[in-house]
Amino acid sequence: MRLVHLDLKGAAPRVSYLEQVFPLLSQLGANGILIEYEDMFPFQGELEILKSPYAYSEEDIERIQQLAELHKLEVVPLVQTFGHVEFILKHEKYQHLREVERFPNSFNPHAPDTLALLKSILSQVIEKHRRSAWIHIGADEVFHLGEGMDSKNWMSRNKGDTGAMYLKHIKEVLGFIAAQYLGLQALMWDDMLRKISVGALRGERMGTAAAAPKPGGSAAPGRVGALAGAVPKVRGSGTPTLPGARAALPAVAQEATAWLAPLCRYDHYSVLCELLPVSIPSLAICLQTLVNGGFTEETKRKVLDALGFQSMQLEQSTCEGRGAFPGAEIYHMVEQVNGHLKESILKVLEEESAIKGWFSPYHRKRQFGNPRNMESFGSKVLKLHDDWESFVRDLRAHLEGVYFPDTVEEWMEENINPYLDQLRDLVRDYQ
């Protein structure tokens, strides 16, 4: 399995864009999509509070699966069941389920309502993915586990540690999946398992799950996390099995699965990472490298042909040519922003002697200046302002074709406005 992980904590693409991207992913060698919906899933009933205002509809979820099927991409939904649950625990309704009261990162595994809530969330997601053979339960980066009073009491009473407590909760989650959804296979990340002793792992009968190494912990967009050799401790512990179970935890499918993660965010509260259209060249290189066993000249040629570039320089992270992949316009425009926006504006503000001498913050605050000196830089500043405003209008239009309004606004505020607003203010004062 070669899965592309669409982590939709932010910058979730419109389905119309996925319609363009899925055939490219298939062409490049992916055969599955791991979808971490978070608040983009159309939760119903008591869970409706978890939905983003821009969440996919039920029809969107069905369309995504149809598109995946059309392009021979297996869909694996991912539901976080322990850590990375800020999108749930940020709500006042669920604050009582936090491991540590002031942090929304992780569930308290001892609260009676935690498992009931997870069963409800898992059920809604699984019911909308009945064609899927796999469910991913996340279970990575369970920050502050063991720091809550309930956990401390449990460890004291049971002479246990955080590892035993972690496994107990995972077993409960897997037990529910095995009992309710016969034949559905579970995946989980391995990072928490690495911290647990081989003896503890060997002694646990976990049911049907496979552990998959996380790509680099805090993976950069497009980074490959290959399984081979990544979990020596887990692999060395053997694979205990249950009667009738297909596999037991920890069962690591060595060299059979690789993960590629175009991240949207590192967590629910962080800033956006790179946009998907911008990370597609990196993703393409990773996929083709996996398929061909190395980044050979032949691999490079296939990537260039698929993306419509003339050449690429990995050391400089640059691609030459117009590009002919979905979102290529955004790729080039973001390149312009990264390479020229800040530099061109700061050059005018900090290096133009007429501005420094005759239109300083002091002059601007008190609204006085000599027109003769101001006109010496005015046309240059106005042209720069008009050029960038025109460029940003075009960029916004392209972004709105791929993303929902909240993503567009956030990206603009993070990457455009800190610099362009300085130029806008200067022009306003000049006029």
Side-chain angles (χ1 to χ4, degrees):
M1 296 170 72
R2 292 183 294 274
L3 303 178
V4 174
H5 179 186
L6 292 178
D7 188 351
L8 306 182
K9 290 181 178 69
R14 295 179 185 271
V15 176
S16 56
Y17 183 65
L18 296 178
E19 195 169 340
Q20 302 172 60
V21 169
F22 279 12
L24 177 63
L25 298 182
S26 182
Q27 178 189 351
L28 289 167
N31 55 20
I33 307 291
L34 180 71
I35 307 181
E36 186 168 355
Y37 289 105
E38 273 225 356
D39 57 2
M40 287 302 293
F41 187 80
F43 291 108
Q44 297 177 330
E46 64 172 18
L47 300 180
E48 194 169 353
I49 191 175
L50 302 179
K51 280 197 321 188
S52 159
Y54 301 101
Y56 294 140
S57 67
E58 291 184 58
E59 292 75 21
D60 289 336
I61 300 295
E62 178 60 26
R63 179 63 179 148
I64 288 169
Q65 293 175 89
Q66 290 173 352
L67 289 169
E69 204 170 314
L70 180 64
H71 299 291
K72 297 181 172 56
L73 297 168
E74 185 166 3
V75 174
V76 180
L78 190 157
V79 176
Q80 286 286 0
T81 56
F82 214 159
H84 281 298
V85 285
E86 296 90 351
F87 81 103
I88 301 169
L89 299 184
K90 72 179 183 181
H91 294 285
E92 188 176 353
K93 179 179 180 179
Y94 298 118
Q95 281 184 7
H96 67 289
L97 301 182
R98 296 177 177 184
E99 169 71 354
V100 176
E101 187 179 354
R102 55 184 201 281
F103 301 140
N105 305 73
S106 307
F107 277 121
N108 172 358
H110 314 286
D113 293 345
T114 291
L115 192 60
L117 176 61
L118 284 173
K119 288 178 178 180
S120 181
I121 292 172
L122 282 163
S123 295
Q124 289 202 17
V125 173
I126 292 171
E127 288 299 332
K128 289 287 183 287
H129 294 83
R130 293 315 297 254
R131 298 195 288 272
S132 294
W134 298 87
I135 179 74
H136 198 304
I137 63 167
D140 59 311
E141 297 185 344
V142 187
F143 299 135
H144 309 292
L145 181 62
E147 294 178 19
M149 191 53 64
D150 286 349
S151 289
K152 288 177 180 176
N153 290 339
W154 185 91
M155 288 187 289
S156 176
R157 286 195 309 270
N158 294 276
K159 296 185 172 57
D161 56 15
T162 55
M165 197 162 58
Y166 174 85
L167 293 175
K168 176 180 178 294
H169 178 71
I170 296 303
K171 285 171 70 174
E172 290 173 340
V173 171
L174 293 174
F176 165 74
I177 293 169
Q180 293 294 314
Y181 301 98
L182 192 63
L184 186 64
Q185 299 181 81
L187 288 164
M188 63 184 291
W189 297 127
D190 79 313
D191 58 310
M192 296 297 292
L193 297 175
R194 292 171 187 246
K195 303 170 186 175
I196 300 172
S197 71
V198 172
L201 288 170
R202 189 175 284 143
E204 288 289 348
R205 295 188 164 203
M206 297 293 289
T208 56
K214 283 198 72 185
S218 297
R223 183 178 297 173
V224 179
L227 276 167
V231 200
K233 185 166 74 172
V234 172
R235 185 176 50 189
S237 68
T239 308
T241 56
L242 283 169
R246 291 174 302 286
L249 187 75
V252 181
Q254 286 297 331
E255 300 175 359
T257 308
W259 306 92
L260 300 163
L263 292 175
C264 298
R265 301 184 198 279
Y266 290 107
D267 74 43
H268 193 72
Y269 285 95
S270 71
V271 297
L272 291 173
C273 298
E274 196 63 272
L275 296 173
L276 179 54
V278 181
S279 63
I280 279 179
S282 173
L283 183 60
I285 290 167
C286 292
L287 274 169
Q288 275 294 295
T289 299
L290 278 173
V291 171
N292 298 303
F295 191 65
T296 62
E297 281 302 312
E298 175 67 7
T299 305
K300 186 175 180 180
R301 187 190 63 76
K302 286 181 179 177
V303 171
L304 291 172
D305 288 347
L307 300 183
F309 286 128
Q310 275 72 58
S311 63
M312 60 174 58
Q313 306 299 325
L314 293 192
E315 295 79 11
Q316 285 79 44
S317 296
T318 57
C319 299
E320 286 78 42
R322 288 189 60 80
F325 60 92
E329 302 89 352
I330 292 174
Y331 174 89
H332 287 298
M333 295 181 92
V334 170
E335 206 171 34
Q336 288 290 311
V337 170
N338 290 342
H340 303 295
L341 176 65
K342 179 180 177 181
E343 179 187 357
S344 66
I345 290 173
L346 292 183
K347 188 171 183 180
V348 163
L349 295 179
E350 296 175 5
E351 296 180 17
E352 189 70 37
S353 60
I355 291 177
K356 293 177 74 172
W358 282 273
F359 203 54
S360 71
Y362 180 87
H363 294 89
R364 291 167 62 186
K365 184 176 180 180
R366 288 160 181 78
Q367 298 187 336
F368 81 99
N370 188 328
R372 176 180 177 276
N373 301 103
M374 289 173 63
E375 287 172 7
S376 68
F377 64 80
S379 59
K380 181 178 180 181
V381 167
L382 292 174
K383 183 178 187 311
L384 183 67
H385 173 259
D386 289 346
D387 287 349
W388 276 119
E389 290 288 13
S390 173
F391 175 89
V392 167
R393 280 194 297 273
D394 289 345
L395 174 58
R396 180 182 284 274
H398 284 296
L399 289 173
E400 287 172 348
V402 173
Y403 293 110
F404 298 99
D406 58 339
T407 296
V408 177
E409 287 308 316
E410 182 178 353
W411 197 88
M412 288 289 183
E413 287 189 29
E414 288 287 340
N415 297 278
I416 300 286
N417 295 351
Y419 312 109
L420 192 51
D421 279 353
Q422 295 180 61
L423 185 59
R424 288 165 175 157
D425 289 346
L426 182 74
V427 167
R428 182 200 62 216
D429 291 349
Y430 173 83
Q431 290 173 332

Short mmCIF file of all heavy atoms in Angstrom, two decimals, residues 39-81:
data_model
loop_
_atom_site.label_atom_id
_atom_site.label_comp_id
_atom_site.label_asym_id
_atom_site.label_seq_id
_atom_site.Cartn_x
_atom_site.Cartn_y
_atom_site.Cartn_z
N ASP A 39 -12.55 18.13 11.56
CA ASP A 39 -13.85 18.81 11.56
C ASP A 39 -14.44 18.98 10.16
O ASP A 39 -15.45 19.66 9.99
CB ASP A 39 -13.73 20.18 12.24
CG ASP A 39 -12.69 21.08 11.59
OD1 ASP A 39 -12.08 20.67 10.59
OD2 ASP A 39 -12.49 22.20 12.09
N MET A 40 -13.84 18.34 9.16
CA MET A 40 -14.39 18.39 7.81
C MET A 40 -15.41 17.28 7.56
O MET A 40 -16.02 17.22 6.49
CB MET A 40 -13.28 18.31 6.77
CG MET A 40 -12.45 19.58 6.65
SD MET A 40 -13.45 21.03 6.22
CE MET A 40 -13.98 20.62 4.56
N PHE A 41 -15.60 16.40 8.53
CA PHE A 41 -16.58 15.32 8.36
C PHE A 41 -17.98 15.84 8.71
O PHE A 41 -18.13 16.61 9.66
CB PHE A 41 -16.23 14.12 9.25
CG PHE A 41 -17.08 12.92 9.00
CD1 PHE A 41 -16.82 12.08 7.93
CD2 PHE A 41 -18.17 12.64 9.81
CE1 PHE A 41 -17.63 10.97 7.67
CE2 PHE A 41 -18.98 11.54 9.57
CZ PHE A 41 -18.70 10.71 8.49
N PRO A 42 -19.02 15.41 7.99
CA PRO A 42 -20.38 15.91 8.25
C PRO A 42 -21.04 15.21 9.44
O PRO A 42 -22.02 14.47 9.29
CB PRO A 42 -21.11 15.60 6.94
CG PRO A 42 -20.42 14.39 6.40
CD PRO A 42 -18.97 14.56 6.78
N PHE A 43 -20.50 15.43 10.62
CA PHE A 43 -21.06 14.80 11.82
C PHE A 43 -22.51 15.21 12.01
O PHE A 43 -22.90 16.34 11.69
CB PHE A 43 -20.24 15.18 13.05
CG PHE A 43 -18.86 14.59 13.07
CD1 PHE A 43 -17.73 15.39 12.85
CD2 PHE A 43 -18.67 13.24 13.31
CE1 PHE A 43 -16.46 14.84 12.87
CE2 PHE A 43 -17.40 12.69 13.34
CZ PHE A 43 -16.29 13.49 13.11
N GLN A 44 -23.31 14.29 12.56
CA GLN A 44 -24.74 14.53 12.74
C GLN A 44 -25.14 14.37 14.19
O GLN A 44 -24.39 13.84 15.02
CB GLN A 44 -25.54 13.55 11.87
CG GLN A 44 -25.30 13.73 10.38
CD GLN A 44 -26.07 12.70 9.57
OE1 GLN A 44 -26.30 11.58 10.02
NE2 GLN A 44 -26.45 13.07 8.35
N GLY A 45 -26.36 14.82 14.49
CA GLY A 45 -26.92 14.63 15.82
C GLY A 45 -26.12 15.36 16.88
O GLY A 45 -25.73 16.51 16.69
N GLU A 46 -25.83 14.68 17.99
CA GLU A 46 -25.13 15.32 19.10
C GLU A 46 -23.69 15.69 18.73
O GLU A 46 -23.06 16.50 19.40
CB GLU A 46 -25.13 14.39 20.32
CG GLU A 46 -24.37 13.09 20.10
CD GLU A 46 -24.22 12.27 21.38
OE1 GLU A 46 -24.98 12.53 22.34
OE2 GLU A 46 -23.35 11.40 21.40
N LEU A 47 -23.17 15.11 17.64
CA LEU A 47 -21.79 15.39 17.22
C LEU A 47 -21.70 16.56 16.24
O LEU A 47 -20.61 16.94 15.83
CB LEU A 47 -21.17 14.15 16.55
CG LEU A 47 -21.08 12.89 17.41
CD1 LEU A 47 -20.44 11.76 16.61
CD2 LEU A 47 -20.28 13.15 18.68
N GLU A 48 -22.83 17.15 15.89
CA GLU A 48 -22.83 18.20 14.87
C GLU A 48 -21.96 19.39 15.28
O GLU A 48 -21.42 20.10 14.44
CB GLU A 48 -24.26 18.67 14.61
CG GLU A 48 -24.39 19.50 13.35
CD GLU A 48 -25.84 19.73 12.94
OE1 GLU A 48 -26.74 19.13 13.58
OE2 GLU A 48 -26.07 20.51 12.00
N ILE A 49 -21.79 19.58 16.58
CA ILE A 49 -20.98 20.68 17.09
C ILE A 49 -19.52 20.59 16.61
O ILE A 49 -18.80 21.59 16.55
CB ILE A 49 -21.02 20.70 18.64
CG1 ILE A 49 -20.41 21.98 19.19
CG2 ILE A 49 -20.33 19.48 19.23
CD1 ILE A 49 -20.55 22.12 20.70
N LEU A 50 -19.07 19.38 16.24
CA LEU A 50 -17.69 19.17 15.82
C LEU A 50 -17.42 19.67 14.40
O LEU A 50 -16.27 19.80 14.00
CB LEU A 50 -17.33 17.68 15.89
CG LEU A 50 -17.49 17.00 17.25
CD1 LEU A 50 -17.11 15.53 17.14
CD2 LEU A 50 -16.64 17.69 18.31
N LYS A 51 -18.47 19.92 13.62
CA LYS A 51 -18.30 20.26 12.20
C LYS A 51 -17.78 21.67 12.00
O LYS A 51 -18.20 22.61 12.65
CB LYS A 51 -19.65 20.18 11.48
CG LYS A 51 -20.10 18.82 11.09
CD LYS A 51 -21.22 18.85 10.04
CE LYS A 51 -22.25 19.93 10.24
NZ LYS A 51 -23.39 19.76 9.31
N SER A 52 -16.88 21.81 11.04
CA SER A 52 -16.51 23.13 10.54
C SER A 52 -17.68 23.70 9.74
O SER A 52 -18.46 22.94 9.14
CB SER A 52 -15.28 23.00 9.62
OG SER A 52 -15.18 24.11 8.76
N PRO A 53 -17.81 25.03 9.67
CA PRO A 53 -18.84 25.61 8.81
C PRO A 53 -18.67 25.20 7.34
O PRO A 53 -19.62 25.26 6.56
CB PRO A 53 -18.64 27.12 8.97
CG PRO A 53 -17.91 27.28 10.26
CD PRO A 53 -17.06 26.05 10.42
N TYR A 54 -17.46 24.78 6.98
CA TYR A 54 -17.18 24.40 5.60
C TYR A 54 -17.00 22.88 5.45
O TYR A 54 -16.43 22.41 4.46
CB TYR A 54 -15.91 25.11 5.10
CG TYR A 54 -16.04 26.61 5.17
CD1 TYR A 54 -15.44 27.34 6.21
CD2 TYR A 54 -16.78 27.32 4.22
CE1 TYR A 54 -15.57 28.71 6.29
CE2 TYR A 54 -16.91 28.69 4.29
CZ TYR A 54 -16.31 29.39 5.32
OH TYR A 54 -16.44 30.76 5.40
N ALA A 55 -17.51 22.11 6.39
CA ALA A 55 -17.35 20.66 6.35
C ALA A 55 -17.93 20.08 5.07
O ALA A 55 -18.88 20.61 4.49
CB ALA A 55 -18.03 20.02 7.56
N TYR A 56 -17.34 18.97 4.61
CA TYR A 56 -17.89 18.27 3.46
C TYR A 56 -19.31 17.79 3.79
O TYR A 56 -19.62 17.47 4.93
CB TYR A 56 -17.04 17.04 3.12
CG TYR A 56 -15.64 17.35 2.64
CD1 TYR A 56 -14.56 16.57 3.05
CD2 TYR A 56 -15.39 18.39 1.76
CE1 TYR A 56 -13.27 16.82 2.60
CE2 TYR A 56 -14.10 18.67 1.31
CZ TYR A 56 -13.05 17.88 1.73
OH TYR A 56 -11.78 18.14 1.30
N SER A 57 -20.14 17.71 2.78
CA SER A 57 -21.48 17.15 2.93
C SER A 57 -21.41 15.63 2.80
O SER A 57 -20.39 15.07 2.39
CB SER A 57 -22.41 17.72 1.87
OG SER A 57 -22.01 17.26 0.58
N GLU A 58 -22.52 14.98 3.12
CA GLU A 58 -22.58 13.53 2.92
C GLU A 58 -22.36 13.18 1.45
O GLU A 58 -21.71 12.18 1.13
CB GLU A 58 -23.93 12.99 3.40
CG GLU A 58 -24.12 13.04 4.91
CD GLU A 58 -25.43 12.40 5.33
OE1 GLU A 58 -25.64 11.21 5.02
OE2 GLU A 58 -26.25 13.10 5.94
N GLU A 59 -22.91 14.02 0.58
CA GLU A 59 -22.72 13.81 -0.86
C GLU A 59 -21.25 13.95 -1.24
O GLU A 59 -20.75 13.22 -2.10
CB GLU A 59 -23.59 14.80 -1.66
CG GLU A 59 -25.09 14.59 -1.55
CD GLU A 59 -25.67 15.05 -0.22
OE1 GLU A 59 -25.01 15.88 0.48
OE2 GLU A 59 -26.77 14.57 0.14
N ASP A 60 -20.56 14.89 -0.60
CA ASP A 60 -19.12 15.09 -0.86
C ASP A 60 -18.34 13.84 -0.46
O ASP A 60 -17.43 13.41 -1.19
CB ASP A 60 -18.59 16.28 -0.07
CG ASP A 60 -19.08 17.61 -0.60
OD1 ASP A 60 -19.44 17.69 -1.79
OD2 ASP A 60 -19.12 18.58 0.19
N ILE A 61 -18.66 13.27 0.71
CA ILE A 61 -17.96 12.07 1.19
C ILE A 61 -18.15 10.93 0.19
O ILE A 61 -17.20 10.20 -0.14
CB ILE A 61 -18.47 11.65 2.59
CG1 ILE A 61 -18.25 12.77 3.60
CG2 ILE A 61 -17.78 10.37 3.04
CD1 ILE A 61 -16.82 13.13 3.89
N GLU A 62 -19.37 10.77 -0.29
CA GLU A 62 -19.65 9.72 -1.27
C GLU A 62 -18.92 9.99 -2.58
O GLU A 62 -18.35 9.08 -3.19
CB GLU A 62 -21.16 9.63 -1.52
CG GLU A 62 -21.57 8.60 -2.56
CD GLU A 62 -21.15 7.18 -2.21
OE1 GLU A 62 -20.99 6.86 -1.01
OE2 GLU A 62 -20.97 6.37 -3.15
N ARG A 63 -18.88 11.26 -2.99
CA ARG A 63 -18.19 11.62 -4.24
C ARG A 63 -16.69 11.36 -4.13
O ARG A 63 -16.07 10.86 -5.08
CB ARG A 63 -18.46 13.10 -4.56
CG ARG A 63 -17.79 13.62 -5.81
CD ARG A 63 -18.30 12.92 -7.04
NE ARG A 63 -17.67 13.43 -8.26
CZ ARG A 63 -17.43 12.68 -9.33
NH1 ARG A 63 -17.76 11.39 -9.34
NH2 ARG A 63 -16.87 13.21 -10.40
N ILE A 64 -16.10 11.67 -2.99
CA ILE A 64 -14.67 11.42 -2.78
C ILE A 64 -14.37 9.93 -2.96
O ILE A 64 -13.40 9.54 -3.61
CB ILE A 64 -14.23 11.90 -1.38
CG1 ILE A 64 -14.21 13.44 -1.34
CG2 ILE A 64 -12.85 11.35 -1.02
CD1 ILE A 64 -14.04 14.01 0.06
N GLN A 65 -15.23 9.09 -2.39
CA GLN A 65 -15.02 7.64 -2.50
C GLN A 65 -15.22 7.14 -3.93
O GLN A 65 -14.51 6.26 -4.40
CB GLN A 65 -15.94 6.91 -1.53
CG GLN A 65 -15.58 7.17 -0.07
CD GLN A 65 -16.56 6.54 0.90
OE1 GLN A 65 -16.39 5.40 1.29
NE2 GLN A 65 -17.58 7.28 1.28
N GLN A 66 -16.19 7.72 -4.63
CA GLN A 66 -16.40 7.34 -6.03
C GLN A 66 -15.19 7.72 -6.88
O GLN A 66 -14.74 6.94 -7.73
CB GLN A 66 -17.65 8.03 -6.58
CG GLN A 66 -18.95 7.50 -6.01
CD GLN A 66 -20.14 8.33 -6.46
OE1 GLN A 66 -19.99 9.40 -7.07
NE2 GLN A 66 -21.35 7.86 -6.15
N LEU A 67 -14.66 8.91 -6.63
CA LEU A 67 -13.47 9.37 -7.37
C LEU A 67 -12.28 8.46 -7.09
O LEU A 67 -11.52 8.12 -7.99
CB LEU A 67 -13.13 10.81 -6.98
CG LEU A 67 -14.08 11.91 -7.46
CD1 LEU A 67 -13.76 13.22 -6.77
CD2 LEU A 67 -13.98 12.07 -8.98
N ALA A 68 -12.12 8.11 -5.82
CA ALA A 68 -11.01 7.22 -5.44
C ALA A 68 -11.15 5.87 -6.14
O ALA A 68 -10.18 5.33 -6.68
CB ALA A 68 -10.97 7.05 -3.93
N GLU A 69 -12.35 5.34 -6.12
CA GLU A 69 -12.61 4.04 -6.75
C GLU A 69 -12.32 4.10 -8.25
O GLU A 69 -11.71 3.19 -8.82
CB GLU A 69 -14.08 3.66 -6.52
CG GLU A 69 -14.34 2.17 -6.58
CD GLU A 69 -15.75 1.84 -6.11
OE1 GLU A 69 -16.17 2.38 -5.06
OE2 GLU A 69 -16.41 1.06 -6.80
N LEU A 70 -12.75 5.19 -8.87
CA LEU A 70 -12.53 5.39 -10.30
C LEU A 70 -11.04 5.34 -10.64
O LEU A 70 -10.65 4.84 -11.70
CB LEU A 70 -13.13 6.74 -10.72
CG LEU A 70 -13.02 7.14 -12.19
CD1 LEU A 70 -13.79 6.16 -13.08
CD2 LEU A 70 -13.52 8.56 -12.39
N HIS A 71 -10.21 5.85 -9.73
CA HIS A 71 -8.77 5.93 -10.00
C HIS A 71 -7.97 4.90 -9.19
O HIS A 71 -6.77 5.05 -8.99
CB HIS A 71 -8.28 7.35 -9.72
CG HIS A 71 -8.94 8.37 -10.58
ND1 HIS A 71 -8.72 8.45 -11.94
CD2 HIS A 71 -9.87 9.32 -10.30
CE1 HIS A 71 -9.46 9.43 -12.44
NE2 HIS A 71 -10.16 9.96 -11.47
N LYS A 72 -8.68 3.84 -8.75
CA LYS A 72 -8.04 2.70 -8.08
C LYS A 72 -7.24 3.12 -6.85
O LYS A 72 -6.13 2.67 -6.62
CB LYS A 72 -7.16 1.93 -9.07
CG LYS A 72 -7.96 1.31 -10.22
CD LYS A 72 -7.07 0.55 -11.17
CE LYS A 72 -7.90 -0.22 -12.19
NZ LYS A 72 -8.84 0.63 -12.96
N LEU A 73 -7.84 4.00 -6.06
CA LEU A 73 -7.24 4.46 -4.82
C LEU A 73 -8.09 3.97 -3.65
O LEU A 73 -9.27 4.31 -3.55
CB LEU A 73 -7.17 6.00 -4.78
CG LEU A 73 -6.31 6.67 -5.85
CD1 LEU A 73 -6.58 8.17 -5.88
CD2 LEU A 73 -4.83 6.40 -5.61
N GLU A 74 -7.51 3.15 -2.80
CA GLU A 74 -8.24 2.65 -1.64
C GLU A 74 -8.37 3.75 -0.59
O GLU A 74 -7.39 4.43 -0.27
CB GLU A 74 -7.49 1.45 -1.04
CG GLU A 74 -8.23 0.79 0.10
CD GLU A 74 -7.66 -0.57 0.46
OE1 GLU A 74 -6.65 -0.98 -0.14
OE2 GLU A 74 -8.23 -1.22 1.35
N VAL A 75 -9.56 3.96 -0.08
CA VAL A 75 -9.80 5.00 0.92
C VAL A 75 -9.69 4.41 2.32
O VAL A 75 -10.35 3.43 2.65
CB VAL A 75 -11.18 5.64 0.74
CG1 VAL A 75 -11.48 6.62 1.88
CG2 VAL A 75 -11.25 6.37 -0.60
N VAL A 76 -8.83 5.01 3.15
CA VAL A 76 -8.69 4.62 4.55
C VAL A 76 -9.02 5.84 5.41
O VAL A 76 -8.24 6.79 5.46
CB VAL A 76 -7.25 4.13 4.86
CG1 VAL A 76 -7.15 3.72 6.34
CG2 VAL A 76 -6.84 2.99 3.95
N PRO A 77 -10.19 5.87 6.05
CA PRO A 77 -10.49 7.01 6.93
C PRO A 77 -9.66 6.93 8.21
O PRO A 77 -9.36 5.83 8.70
CB PRO A 77 -11.98 6.83 7.23
CG PRO A 77 -12.26 5.40 7.02
CD PRO A 77 -11.28 4.89 5.99
N LEU A 78 -9.29 8.09 8.75
CA LEU A 78 -8.51 8.15 9.99
C LEU A 78 -9.32 8.93 11.03
O LEU A 78 -9.72 10.06 10.79
CB LEU A 78 -7.16 8.83 9.75
CG LEU A 78 -6.13 8.75 10.90
CD1 LEU A 78 -4.71 8.94 10.36
CD2 LEU A 78 -6.39 9.78 12.00
N VAL A 79 -9.53 8.29 12.16
CA VAL A 79 -10.21 8.93 13.29
C VAL A 79 -9.27 8.91 14.48
O VAL A 79 -8.88 7.84 14.95
CB VAL A 79 -11.51 8.18 13.65
CG1 VAL A 79 -12.15 8.80 14.90
CG2 VAL A 79 -12.49 8.19 12.49
N GLN A 80 -8.90 10.07 14.97
CA GLN A 80 -8.03 10.12 16.14
C GLN A 80 -8.80 9.67 17.37
O GLN A 80 -9.91 10.15 17.63
CB GLN A 80 -7.49 11.54 16.34
CG GLN A 80 -6.42 11.95 15.33
CD GLN A 80 -5.08 11.28 15.60
OE1 GLN A 80 -4.92 10.50 16.53
NE2 GLN A 80 -4.10 11.59 14.75
N THR A 81 -8.20 8.75 18.14
CA THR A 81 -8.92 8.15 19.26
C THR A 81 -8.23 8.36 20.61
O THR A 81 -8.66 7.79 21.62
CB THR A 81 -9.08 6.63 19.03
OG1 THR A 81 -7.79 6.05 18.82
CG2 THR A 81 -9.97 6.36 17.84
#
